[in-house]
Amino acid sequence: MIEILKNVYRKVRFFYHRLQLYYSVNWTKTVYFNFKKFPYPIAKQLPVFFYGKVKFTSITGAIKIEGVVKKGMIGFGQPYEMNTLHKGIAEITILGTLILKGHIQLGKDYFIYIGDKGLCELGHMASLASNAKLICMEHVVLGDYARFGSESQIMDTNFHQMMDTTTGEKFKMTAPIRIGNYNYAASRVTVLQNTTTPDFCTIGSSSVCTADYTSFGSNILIGGIPAKFIKNAISRDWEGEKALLDEYLIV
């Protein structure tokens, strides 16, 4: 009897969660974006949902979905975190190319900027929590289950031309970022150009990543300013959490 009640409770909770999500969708922006950016057979399925207020500064770039298309598989502003209120400051600029490779979640009040030469690839179940920034001027890749905490920022440019004041040499302003599969980044993590992480990498809170960390192997913890190797043989319990994550986050 107890097991039956538990199963009933899970089903009720599941459907209640779905109703909450659908109620919070910004249907005007959702319909406009999908029919503006995708061919009709894809657009009618509404694969991209927008939750809360969002400003489309420009969406003239290319947006591609790889894999099976499903309704609401990509959630911009998706309410999956503990905080429940939007500030209403979400903003998107897509001038280059955005490739979406499965179910993806962006939390509240995000800022996304993809320059005209930028290529951004987001893997299945990749996520950026609330108040995150993603700026791609060259190439940014987030692997499958690459999940970033609130107030994180990923930027493959330093925005301004830097130079060697002795030789006059001017340094390259942009460089690629590649985040591996099953990466877990805590809150306020900054990822800068030339960063590469291995699969199953954990990044400590408030860290600044600036290098290639793949030589340390997988299942590592990095952190600090700048981020350095801290510990190996450590990982988020992905196998233990995966089913719950998929059930809760996939619309």
Side-chain angles (χ1 to χ4, degrees):
M1 184 65 181
I2 293 176
E3 286 302 317
I4 293 173
L5 289 174
K6 285 183 178 179
N7 287 332
V8 170
Y9 172 74
R10 290 191 192 100
K11 290 179 180 179
V12 171
R13 185 181 64 177
F14 175 82
F15 286 111
Y16 177 69
H17 176 62
R18 289 296 181 272
L19 284 172
Q20 280 187 312
L21 283 174
Y22 279 91
Y23 178 75
S24 60
V25 171
N26 183 334
W27 291 108
T28 302
K29 294 288 189 178
T30 293
V31 171
Y32 173 80
F33 183 91
N34 282 278
F35 282 89
K36 178 78 172 176
K37 299 309 301 178
F38 301 120
Y40 179 77
I42 295 176
K44 70 178 183 178
Q45 298 182 66
L46 300 179
V48 180
F49 276 7
F50 288 91
Y51 302 84
K53 286 185 64 177
V54 55
K55 178 182 179 181
F56 296 157
T57 302
S58 175
I59 54 172
T60 57
I63 302 170
K64 303 174 183 178
I65 298 176
E66 295 184 357
V68 179
V69 174
K70 295 182 179 180
K71 181 179 290 185
M73 61 189 293
I74 296 107
F76 285 88
Q78 187 169 329
Y80 67 92
E81 302 168 83
M82 294 174 70
N83 59 319
T84 59
L85 297 178
H86 288 260
K87 297 176 186 174
I89 59 172
E91 184 176 349
I92 292 179
T93 299
I94 302 174
L95 305 172
T97 302
L98 174 61
I99 300 177
L100 306 165
K101 299 183 176 182
H103 293 267
I104 294 157
Q105 304 86 37
L106 283 85
K108 306 170 189 67
D109 303 311
Y110 50 87
F111 177 76
I112 306 295
Y113 188 100
I114 302 174
D116 56 359
K117 296 180 181 178
L119 171 59
C120 181
E121 304 175 57
L122 303 181
H124 176 62
M125 294 299 286
S127 73
L128 298 170
S130 58
N131 296 290
K133 295 182 178 69
L134 192 159
I135 299 173
C136 173
M137 304 300 287
E138 183 175 332
H139 195 188
V140 173
V141 178
L142 269 61
D144 296 342
Y145 287 87
R147 306 190 64 81
F148 281 76
S150 59
E151 300 182 46
S152 291
Q153 48 186 1
I154 301 171
M155 304 177 291
D156 68 353
T157 177
N158 57 19
F159 301 101
H160 302 287
Q161 182 67 66
M162 303 299 291
M163 61 181 290
D164 186 314
T165 57
T166 302
T167 65
E169 177 189 3
K170 293 184 178 181
F171 303 122
K172 193 170 182 289
M173 290 176 60
T174 66
I177 291 172
R178 295 182 182 274
I179 304 299
N181 300 317
Y182 295 96
N183 271 222
Y184 169 47
S187 60
R188 296 184 176 178
V189 168
T190 296
V191 178
L192 301 177
Q193 63 261 45
N194 287 311
T195 295
T196 303
T197 64
D199 294 344
F200 297 97
C201 178
T202 301
I203 308 172
S205 180
S206 301
S207 298
V208 178
C209 302
T210 60
D212 184 342
Y213 302 94
T214 57
S215 63
F216 299 108
S218 59
N219 296 305
I220 62 169
L221 170 65
I222 62 175
I225 304 176
K228 296 181 180 180
F229 171 79
I230 296 175
K231 186 177 181 179
N232 60 12
I234 186 168
S235 174
R236 181 171 171 172
D237 182 10
W238 292 105
E239 287 305 314
E241 288 190 62
K242 198 172 180 181
L244 289 174
L245 281 171
D246 291 353
E247 179 184 352
Y248 183 71
L249 295 172
I250 293 178
V251 176

